[in-house]
Amino acid sequence: MRTAIVVGAGIGGLAAAGALARSGWQVTVLERGDRVPVDRAALILWPNGVRALRSLGLGDGLHAIATPLRDRGVRRPDGQWLVQPRQPGPDAQPPIVVHREDLHDALIAGLGDGVEIRTGVPIDTVRLHAGDAERLHAGDRPSIGHGRQRYEADLIVAADGIDSVLRKALAPEASVVSSGCAAWRAVIPWYRAPRLPDDMSPNGETLGAGYRFVAVSLGERGSAGGSSRGGIYWVATAAGAPRPESPAVQLQLLRRWLADWHAPIGELLAATEPGDLIQQEVRELRPLPRQYGFGSGPGGVVLLGDAAHAMPHHLGQGACLAFEDAATLRSVMAEAVPGRTLTTAIEQYSRARRPRTATIVRQTRRMSAVIQARGRLALRARDAALGTITPRLLGSVATTAGEWRPPV
C-alpha cells in the first residue's frame, strides 16, 4: 500500500489528501492545531480553481454552496468609475464566491474512508535520504517528526501554510516577508445585513489612497441562494502594519478611515460587529522556492499551497493555485509507486507547478503596486492610467487562469 502524509489540514491539504486517497493512497493528515482549522470568512474562486475542484471530483456540490459573480468594475471613494464593469463573453465562466465553512464541509465529506486525521501534532523536523531510488529500501523513506516521535511515508505533502516548517528546512532560500499591508475580512449574515435600495448593489470594488474595499453577496437575502451561510462578504485592505488594538477598536478605525467613501460601504461597516472581523497581516514568499519537489530514497516531499507560493490576496488566486496543486499531484501520483516512478512523479509535479505559480505571483505583485499607491502625485498617475492598466492586468490574469486545464 502506497502511503502519504499530508502536513496541514487547511483547504489545500484536505483537497490533496482526498485526491490521493481516491487514487489508492493510504493518507494520514497531521494538523498542528487541536482541531481542523475552519475560517469564518468567504472565498472567491476563479474559473481555474473551480476547474481544479471539478477535476478532483468535488465539483458536483459547488452549485449548492456557491454564488456566481459578475464583473464589478472599480470605483473611486467618491463613487466615480475608474473602470466600468465589463460584459462577459458568451463562453466566459464567472468566478464564484463560497463561504469557507461550506467549502471546508465539502472537502471533509470528500475525504472518504482512506484518510486519517490526527490533530495536535506539531511537526518541527524533516529528514531526507540521498541515494538511488531503486537501491534504497523502505527504511530510507522521508520522515518528519516532533521530539522523539517520527512519521514515515512514501510521499510527504507539505501543506502547512506560509510558515511551513518543512519548506524552511527544504527551501531556505524562500523567505516570508511583509507585503506592506493588512487586511480585514468579515461576513455580515443576512439577518443583520443592511437593506439597500434596489439601485444600490452591495457588490463592488473601490480603490483609494492606500485602501481597497471589496464586497460581494453570498446568495440572495431570505434564502440560502448558493450558500447555507449567506450574507455579505467584504474585504478591506490598508497599507501599513496590522493593528494591535482589539477587534472593536479596529472596526472603529475602519469606519473612520472609510467614513467619506461612497455607499453602501459605510452601511456595511456599520452592520459589522467586532466578532465578525478577521484581521490578517498580508505576507508573501520572496523569492519563491527554487523547486517544489524533493526526492528522498524511493519517495520524497512536495510543497503545496501557501507553503509553496504564498502571495497577497489581491487577485484571489491563492486558494485557486492550491487546488491546482492538488489536481496536478493527483494526476502525477495516480500510477506512481515507491522507487523511480515516484521520484520521477515528484520531479514532474515541481516542473509543472513552479513556472505556473511564478507567473501568477508576478501579476499579483503588479496589482500590489496599484493598490498601495499613496501620495497626491502617485494617486493622480494611478487614476489616470488605471482605466488602461487594470483591465489589461485583470485580462491577463483571466487569460492566464483560463488557460489552465487539469492534467490528465
Side-chain angles (χ1 to χ4, degrees):
M1 172 67 76
R2 300 174 296 173
T3 59
I5 291 175
V6 177
V7 182
I11 57 176
L14 293 177
L20 290 170
R22 288 188 291 277
S23 297
W25 289 74
Q26 180 180 329
V27 183
T28 301
V29 178
L30 302 181
E31 167 57 36
R32 173 181 293 270
D34 292 333
R35 61 184 64 185
V36 175
V38 182
D39 197 308
R40 294 179 287 108
L43 181 68
I44 295 175
L45 291 177
W46 289 76
N48 55 314
V50 175
R51 214 173 281 132
L53 284 175
R54 294 191 186 283
S55 77
L56 293 171
L58 300 171
D60 291 344
L62 273 180
H63 71 280
I65 60 174
T67 303
L69 295 180
R70 296 189 301 271
D71 186 273
R72 305 180 302 272
V74 184
R75 294 180 185 268
R76 295 197 315 194
D78 61 7
Q80 293 186 9
W81 289 109
L82 284 169
V83 181
Q84 291 275 357
R86 294 169 295 170
Q87 292 298 321
D91 299 324
Q93 292 182 310
I96 62 173
V97 59
V98 58
H99 200 291
R100 281 180 174 263
E101 292 184 14
D102 290 330
L103 183 58
H104 172 269
D105 290 347
L107 292 171
I108 289 289
L111 290 178
D113 298 330
V115 179
E116 176 189 4
I117 299 179
R118 301 183 190 177
T119 57
V121 183
I123 296 299
D124 54 22
T125 59
V126 57
R127 185 180 303 159
L128 301 186
H129 299 271
D132 187 278
E134 300 295 349
R135 291 188 175 184
L136 293 175
H137 52 74
D140 295 311
R141 296 184 302 176
S143 65
I144 53 178
H146 172 69
R148 295 183 179 181
Q149 182 66 55
R150 305 299 303 174
Y151 301 90
E152 235 183 47
D154 301 312
L155 175 67
I156 295 174
V157 180
D160 47 343
I162 187 171
D163 294 311
S164 169
V165 171
L166 277 67
R167 186 202 61 248
K168 290 176 183 177
L170 300 173
E173 71 277 6
S175 299
V176 178
V177 301
S178 171
S179 298
C181 57
W184 291 263
R185 299 175 291 143
V187 173
I188 309 170
W190 279 128
Y191 71 85
R192 200 169 4 100
R195 291 189 175 274
L196 304 173
D198 292 339
D199 60 348
M200 188 185 294
S201 170
N203 299 325
E205 176 175 349
T206 305
L207 278 180
Y211 297 94
R212 181 194 192 198
F213 191 91
V214 178
V216 296
S217 295
L218 279 163
E220 299 293 334
R221 184 189 295 273
S223 67
S227 172
S228 62
R229 299 175 173 92
I232 298 176
Y233 169 55
W234 62 259
V235 183
T237 306
R243 303 296 304 192
E245 298 90 349
S246 68
V249 174
Q250 292 173 26
L251 188 54
Q252 290 175 4
L253 289 172
L254 287 169
R255 290 168 179 164
R256 184 189 311 164
W257 293 337
L258 309 181
D260 58 350
W261 285 35
H262 67 82
I265 293 173
E267 289 85 344
L268 296 179
L269 290 174
T272 303
E273 296 183 351
D276 302 329
L277 204 63
I278 302 171
Q279 181 184 214
Q280 175 187 9
E281 180 184 10
V282 182
R283 300 180 295 159
E284 60 188 285
L285 291 181
R286 280 182 182 257
L288 292 179
R290 287 190 288 267
Q291 63 193 76
Y292 290 163
F294 305 84
S296 174
V301 181
V302 298
L303 305 180
L304 183 143
D306 282 352
H309 43 69
M311 68 189 78
H313 61 285
H314 307 315
L315 296 180
Q317 281 292 321
C320 295
L321 291 181
F323 293 143
E324 285 186 21
D325 292 344
T328 303
L329 192 67
R330 175 201 58 80
S331 177
V332 299
M333 295 296 169
E335 304 298 330
V337 295
R340 184 63 61 196
T341 60
L342 179 51
T343 56
T344 299
I346 290 170
E347 294 169 1
Q348 277 184 283
Y349 171 83
S350 185
R351 287 197 304 268
R353 297 308 300 156
R354 179 57 171 74
R356 164 74 174 168
T357 57
T359 298
I360 300 295
V361 166
R362 283 195 299 270
Q363 294 171 333
T364 300
R365 289 174 181 166
R366 290 180 61 198
M367 182 57 80
S368 291
V370 171
I371 290 172
Q372 296 184 50
R374 305 181 78 174
R376 186 173 299 175
L377 293 178
L379 286 172
R380 285 180 179 175
R382 183 200 70 183
D383 290 355
L386 197 61
T388 300
I389 294 173
T390 301
R392 188 170 67 241
L393 178 55
L394 294 180
S396 176
V397 173
T399 299
T400 302
E403 289 174 345
W404 185 84
R405 291 293 184 276
V408 294

